[in-house]
Amino acid sequence: MVPAKTVAVARVDPRSGQSVRTIVVAPKVVQSREVKPVVVAEEVDDGTLEATVPAPDSSVSALVEEAARRYNVNPALIDSVIQVESSYNPRAVSPKGAQGLMQLMPETARRLGVRNPFDPRENVLGGVKYLKFLQETFKDDRLAIAAYNAGEGAVAKYNNVPPFPETMNYVAAVGKRYGKAKKAAEAKKPVAAPVKAEKPAEPQFAPVRQFVDAEGKIHLTTQ
């Protein structure tokens, strides 16, 4: 924070002709810094506290849906990754240099063709494209999530979630949100009404007719 600056200004009063000295205090200037959304905590089913973030605005939600359709990735997974990565802050920068909503490292962004990682649309489309690549590579959402954090090389090396505390915590955090979102989506699905079994059609019989022949015998026929 830059301290307030005091400046003395001398001028001549046009009425009295006397010299007047005015003290001007410049306002304090606060150095710019990224401000993340307010993070609160809510109690979850197991009694622990879990950090939550405000819901994204409609424009970002639309980007998530667009990317989900384009790359065939569950939007709940994308939402869970963004929550953990950046709390939906498009200007977020990590200590390691990851940028934007899905926290793309500069080299990863270049690899994905993302020119401006702080552009929400570019960032989300690039991040989801990478997430889809990881899903197809490892055939397992849990490993794809681990690779998004630690890199595909680390997951391939251990053939599992790498034993890095940061990555294990990351996989747990994303997985918990993803599982919760999928359960909520299932609960919202309408329950299908039971299908009534149709009664089998009753057989149709031709009427029985009778006649007496020339010899006086009685005959029954359906013809």
Side-chain angles (χ1 to χ4, degrees):
M1 180 179 293
V2 179
K5 184 182 294 185
T6 302
V7 180
V9 179
R11 63 184 180 84
V12 176
D13 188 317
R15 293 182 179 180
S16 63
Q18 296 180 344
S19 177
V20 179
R21 191 181 182 195
T22 304
I23 304 298
V24 179
V25 179
K28 294 181 180 180
V29 179
V30 179
Q31 292 179 335
S32 62
R33 57 183 298 180
E34 295 296 340
V35 180
K36 292 187 176 182
V38 176
V39 178
V40 296
E42 65 177 11
E43 187 171 343
V44 293
D45 295 338
D46 59 5
T48 61
L49 292 178
E50 178 181 288
T52 60
V53 297
D57 61 38
S58 58
S59 63
V60 177
S61 295
L63 291 179
V64 169
E65 292 293 337
E66 177 188 353
R69 289 192 301 270
R70 177 178 295 194
Y71 296 109
N72 192 28
V73 176
N74 192 321
L77 176 57
I78 301 170
D79 175 72
S80 300
V81 170
I82 295 177
Q83 283 189 48
V84 176
E85 286 287 353
S86 66
S87 299
Y88 272 100
N89 179 3
R91 305 300 299 177
V93 179
S94 78
K96 294 181 179 179
Q99 302 169 326
L101 290 169
M102 297 193 74
Q103 290 290 275
L104 301 179
M105 294 296 289
E107 59 269 26
T108 304
R110 287 191 293 269
R111 172 181 167 189
L112 297 167
V114 176
R115 295 184 178 182
N116 179 8
F118 295 110
D119 177 88
R121 186 170 186 274
E122 274 197 77
N123 188 289
V124 171
L125 289 177
V128 176
K129 181 179 180 180
Y130 183 47
L131 190 57
K132 180 64 175 180
F133 164 76
L134 296 173
Q135 285 182 315
E136 292 178 340
T137 299
F138 296 105
K139 312 298 182 186
D140 184 313
D141 280 348
R142 186 165 171 269
L143 296 184
I145 293 168
Y148 195 93
N149 175 263
E152 58 261 41
V155 174
K157 176 182 177 181
Y158 292 97
N159 196 30
N160 204 337
V161 176
F164 311 146
E166 177 188 334
T167 301
M168 291 189 292
N169 290 337
Y170 177 85
V171 171
V174 174
K176 193 168 188 176
R177 284 169 169 78
Y178 186 31
K180 189 175 180 180
K182 287 194 293 185
K183 285 183 180 179
E186 286 294 327
K188 290 180 181 179
K189 286 185 178 180
V191 179
V195 179
K196 294 182 179 180
E198 295 183 1
K199 293 182 178 180
E202 296 184 0
Q204 300 294 320
F205 299 103
V208 177
R209 295 186 297 110
Q210 68 178 22
F211 66 91
V212 180
D213 63 14
E215 297 179 356
K217 295 179 179 179
I218 299 176
H219 297 269
L220 300 176
T221 180
T222 57
Q223 300 296 323

